[in-house]
Amino acid sequence: GAVVSQHPSRVICKSGTSVKIECRSLDFQATTMFWYRQFPKQSLMLMATSNEGSKATYEQGVEKDKFLINHASLTLSTLTVTSAHPEDSSFYICSASKGHTEAFFGQGTRLTVV
Amino acid sequence: DAKTTQPPSMDCAEGRAANLPCNHSTISGNEYVYWYRQIHSQGPQYIIHGLKNNETNEMASLIITEDRKSSTLILPHATLRDTAVYYCIVRVAPSQGGSEKLVFGKGTKLTVNP
């Protein structure tokens, strides 16, 4: 299957700082990527849809100024958690589709804010 | 909201078939049934999908009832590495104009025991 890579896999940051997470489609071009968040023992919650060359579409309740998404190319989308707080600690996962096919997911990024 | 209902947990003996049920009584005629699984602390992995016919691939088989209101994912010979949370998702296929985003329910935690 197609490969979607996330970096970093784990990050620890201080409260008040910003953290950038990268999502790359390694062997295909993805016009759309998706960002999810998952808290312990819970399911994945869609945060936003990242569209190449345009603004991201955020799900209800997700702060667009706090979770900045940039989709600068067909193979890269980034999620920046700004002014991170301990409650932002979570598992962040991206996904991408190879055209009109099933979605492929990155390995996830474990964010811990201390 | 997720349109599927799954048991929260199941157990299976190693080497035996694992049969994971999913109810989707409100499925529409153009919605497919997708199955993903998530091994602890990893991104979800695509398993299989189908519309109304039974499907089989190298990972699993998908049996969809004639009225399409329920389905069963079958892992023919479960191994310890199949221990994961399995998600059943219904959506219109992207190739038919459906959204590529996936809405996850709570899934079934399958534990394969030695």
Side-chain angles (χ1 to χ4, degrees):
Chain A
V3 179
V4 175
S5 177
Q6 271 184 253
H7 178 80
S9 58
R10 289 179 176 270
V11 59
I12 301 173
C13 72
K14 292 184 177 180
S15 186
T17 62
S18 296
V19 174
K20 180 184 286 188
I21 302 170
E22 293 186 348
C23 178
R24 294 180 183 274
S25 56
L26 296 185
D27 54 354
F28 66 99
Q29 295 182 330
T31 55
T32 305
M33 292 184 177
F34 302 90
W35 288 96
Y36 293 82
R37 179 169 56 182
Q38 185 176 33
F39 293 108
K41 299 188 184 301
Q42 295 187 23
S43 187
L44 284 77
M45 183 190 78
L46 180 65
M47 299 175 66
T49 302
S50 171
N51 302 297
E52 188 268 336
S54 64
K55 292 183 179 180
T57 303
Y58 291 82
E59 296 297 306
Q60 190 173 9
V62 178
E63 300 176 59
K64 62 179 182 179
D65 294 330
K66 180 167 184 63
F67 299 99
L68 301 179
I69 292 174
N70 183 277
H71 196 151
S73 76
L74 288 171
T75 60
L76 174 64
S77 175
T78 61
L79 168 67
T80 301
V81 182
T82 63
S83 186
H85 291 285
E87 57 264 32
D88 298 322
S89 298
S90 188
F91 192 51
Y92 292 87
I93 309 168
C94 71
S95 76
S97 293
K98 189 168 59 175
H100 297 302
T101 66
E102 63 273 14
F104 297 93
F105 288 80
Q107 69 269 41
T109 297
R110 175 78 58 193
L111 170 64
T112 303
V113 184
V114 298
Chain B
D1 292 336
K3 298 181 179 180
T4 62
T5 305
Q6 298 176 253
S9 63
M10 291 184 65
D11 283 83
C12 176
E14 187 179 19
R16 304 297 292 269
N19 299 292
L20 292 92
C22 179
N23 286 322
H24 31 79
S25 58
T26 62
I27 192 170
S28 300
N30 61 348
E31 287 183 315
Y32 285 66
V33 180
Y34 284 77
W35 282 84
Y36 282 78
R37 73 179 183 183
Q38 185 179 27
I39 295 171
H40 183 61
S41 295
Q42 296 183 25
Q45 176 189 23
Y46 166 80
I47 301 174
I48 199 167
H49 75 280
L51 182 63
K52 54 183 179 180
N53 296 323
N54 298 336
E55 302 288 343
T56 296
N57 62 21
E58 65 277 5
M59 289 183 67
S61 295
L62 174 60
I63 308 298
I64 303 174
T65 58
E66 193 169 340
D67 63 7
R68 302 211 322 123
K69 293 185 177 183
S70 65
S71 60
T72 301
L73 178 74
I74 300 174
L75 308 179
H77 305 287
T79 70
L80 299 179
R81 288 179 294 181
D82 291 323
T83 292
V85 178
Y86 288 76
Y87 296 99
C88 170
I89 301 168
V90 296
R91 63 161 179 164
V92 179
S95 59
Q96 297 191 343
S99 170
E100 294 176 13
K101 69 179 181 181
L102 295 169
V103 178
F104 286 80
K106 297 182 178 180
T108 296
K109 179 171 174 54
L110 174 69
T111 302
V112 181
N113 300 303

